[in-house]
């Protein structure tokens, strides 16, 4: 697929999605045998074989890697609100930090701001979120 840029200096990055929560009831999850790791590996494979070789893309925003890394912490498989959309606290905050790190070079360890409505929920797990985002960027 060809991409047309109106600004020749523009850079196009691919936003990597995340695998569904292991107990997701989304009908599309059946395409992966209702298995989170099968879906995650399919996403990684698609990025490796279809996105990275495509020179139209400058890079990848590794949100899917950050989310999967966060799931491997005590936070667990709780980063979606319905099995596939990111939760308003941990999920979206992790995605936002991943974007900030990738697009702006922001070190997640330097970000203290968080949405006030979710600060009490995010703050206890902030170290896990930061580590997951940093690991995804490597």
């Amino acid at each position: 697929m060809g991409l047309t840029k109106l600004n020749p200096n523009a850079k196009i990055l691919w936003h990597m999605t995340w695998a569904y929560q292991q107990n997701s009831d989304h009908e599309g999850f059946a395409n992966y045998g209702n298995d989170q790791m099968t879906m995650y590996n399919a996403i990684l494979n698609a990025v490796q074989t279809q996105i990275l070789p495509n020179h139209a893309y400058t890079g990848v925003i590794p949100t899917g890697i950050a989310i999967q890394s966060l799931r491997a912490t005590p936070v667990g498989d709780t980063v979606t609100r319905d099995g596939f959309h990111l939760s308003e606290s941990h999920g979206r905050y992790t995605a936002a930090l991943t974007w900030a790190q990738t697009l702006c070079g922001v070190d997640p360890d330097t970000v203290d701001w968080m949405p006030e409505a979710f600060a009490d929920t995010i703050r206890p797990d902030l170290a896990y979120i930061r580590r997951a985002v940093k690991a995804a960027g490597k």
Side-chain angles (χ1 to χ4, degrees):
M1 165 180 28
L3 298 173
T4 303
K5 296 190 298 187
L6 298 178
N7 180 340
N9 297 318
K11 296 179 180 179
I12 300 173
L13 283 84
W14 183 265
H15 169 66
M16 179 193 294
T17 192
W18 49 91
Y20 295 163
Q21 192 165 304
Q22 188 57 44
N23 64 354
S24 177
D25 61 2
H26 189 285
E27 64 185 38
F29 201 31
N31 296 324
Y32 307 96
N34 294 313
D35 183 77
Q36 184 180 87
M37 287 309 295
T38 299
M39 185 176 188
Y40 177 66
N41 287 324
I43 292 166
L44 291 178
N45 183 58
V47 169
Q48 287 292 320
T49 62
Q50 303 299 312
I51 303 305
L52 293 179
N54 185 333
H55 297 293
Y57 298 102
T58 305
V60 173
I61 303 169
T63 308
I65 295 172
I67 293 296
Q68 198 65 32
S69 295
L70 185 58
R71 287 175 167 151
T73 72
V75 171
D77 197 15
T78 63
V79 294
T80 65
R81 63 183 184 271
D82 57 5
F84 51 98
H85 290 107
L86 292 177
S87 67
E88 293 177 337
S89 59
H90 290 62
R92 288 183 182 178
Y93 192 77
T94 301
L97 278 183
T98 304
W99 278 67
Q101 175 179 264
T102 305
L103 297 177
C104 303
V106 172
D107 179 350
D109 288 334
T110 67
V111 178
D112 291 322
W113 182 90
M114 59 193 69
E116 188 175 319
F118 302 106
D120 289 341
T121 304
I122 294 169
R123 192 170 286 110
D125 297 320
L126 186 56
Y128 298 125
I129 293 170
R130 287 173 170 165
R131 278 196 297 263
V133 170
K134 287 167 47 174
K138 292 182 181 186

